[in-house]
Amino acid sequence: MTTKEKTNSNKKTARSVGVLFIIGTVAGILSVAVSGSILNSPDYLMILSENENQVIIEAFLILIMGFSLAMVPVVLFPILKKQNEALALGAVVFRGALEAVCYITMVVITLSLVKLSQEYIHAGAPDASYFQTLGTLLQGTSHWTEQILDIVFPLGGLMIYYLFYQAKLIPRWLSGWGLIGAVLYLAVPILGVLGLELEVLELPLALQEIVFAVWLIVKGFNPSAIASLSAKTAIN
């Protein structure tokens, strides 16, 4: 592959990662907008049965978000492994495989709740407590899945942004922002165990990843950093 072909390939990789981030972010926002806070309602089983299509659309959007974001470390792997293959593989595991499993689990639970709500309506009042108990168990499983995701997601982010920081593939202020944001994000589930609800700490990383995505689409990777990584690989 010629130098020009390598440059074009790296630009395509950077743009692909940026687009995947944007698709995942937009799908995540839309998933919340579509169904709102149905599951937080006391009579959510009744409401679910009346809004089945909305919840199915939400589940579909969550899948889009999950797979889009899970593909990011996979697409980045050929480049990041030149800096540190173990960490690059770790990012694939945490922000790829484990994150995808969490999103799939959440979708399965959501669709199971839709089916449960239908059976709840058909069963009538005598069996209501049984369905409500089962619904509570499913919601509890979803809650713990989200807690696991809140740990898996920033750990993978730490690996990715550390590699970016070391390799200087993007400006260090941007990768450093990602590192700080990931630490703050990781603090949320930890503080949650202590009874402190501080979801606002997730915002710095959320904002950083939007800026990060736009940067990759517009600017791409630092050419000199790419050249340095290629030289490092050639020496090894």
Side-chain angles (χ1 to χ4, degrees):
M1 185 180 292
T2 65
T3 302
K4 184 177 180 180
E5 288 174 332
K6 289 179 180 178
T7 300
N8 290 335
S9 176
N10 289 326
K11 285 182 179 179
K12 288 180 181 178
T13 298
R15 288 170 182 164
S16 296
V17 171
V19 170
L20 285 170
F21 265 119
I22 290 174
I23 291 173
T25 301
V26 171
I29 293 171
L30 289 176
S31 70
V32 175
V34 165
S35 64
S37 56
I38 290 176
L39 295 179
N40 295 326
S41 175
D43 54 346
Y44 67 92
L45 287 176
M46 180 71 73
I47 298 175
L48 274 174
S49 67
E50 296 170 351
N51 297 274
E52 177 183 345
N53 290 336
Q54 286 179 250
V55 179
I56 291 174
I57 292 172
E58 176 200 10
F60 179 67
L61 288 169
I62 290 174
L63 274 182
I64 292 175
M65 173 179 65
F67 285 121
S68 296
L69 296 180
M71 282 301 298
V72 167
V74 177
V75 175
L76 285 173
F77 181 76
I79 293 175
L80 295 184
K81 73 175 183 178
K82 296 176 183 178
Q83 177 65 30
N84 187 311
E85 187 167 357
L87 280 179
L89 183 59
V92 171
V93 171
F94 279 85
R95 284 208 60 168
L98 293 180
E99 187 171 332
V101 168
C102 287
Y103 282 120
I104 291 170
T105 301
M106 290 164 61
V107 167
V108 170
I109 291 172
T110 298
L111 296 179
S112 297
L113 283 168
V114 171
K115 180 62 177 177
L116 182 67
S117 70
Q118 295 169 345
E119 296 299 322
Y120 170 77
I121 297 300
H122 294 154
D127 297 319
S129 61
Y130 166 77
F131 289 99
Q132 289 168 346
T133 300
L134 187 54
T136 299
L137 289 174
L138 286 172
Q139 287 219 64
T141 303
S142 180
H143 169 74
W144 284 110
T145 301
E146 290 175 8
Q147 293 299 304
I148 293 171
L149 180 61
D150 283 346
I151 295 173
V152 166
F153 177 78
L155 284 177
L158 282 171
M159 296 176 194
I160 290 173
Y161 293 119
Y162 176 77
L163 290 172
F164 268 97
Y165 187 86
Q166 289 294 100
K168 301 178 183 178
L169 288 165
I170 58 175
R172 280 192 160 178
W173 64 264
L174 185 53
S175 52
W177 180 4
L179 285 170
I180 295 171
V183 171
L184 293 174
Y185 201 109
L186 186 59
V188 173
I190 296 173
L191 293 172
V193 174
L194 303 176
L196 299 174
E197 300 295 331
L198 294 173
E199 284 83 1
V200 68
L201 294 179
E202 296 175 353
L203 292 178
L205 184 59
L207 180 58
Q208 187 274 347
E209 296 208 330
I210 293 173
V211 176
F212 175 57
V214 173
W215 182 278
L216 290 181
I217 292 172
V218 176
K219 294 285 190 178
F221 300 124
N222 180 358
S224 61
I226 289 290
S228 178
L229 286 176
S230 298
K232 179 181 177 181
T233 304
I235 293 173
N236 293 335

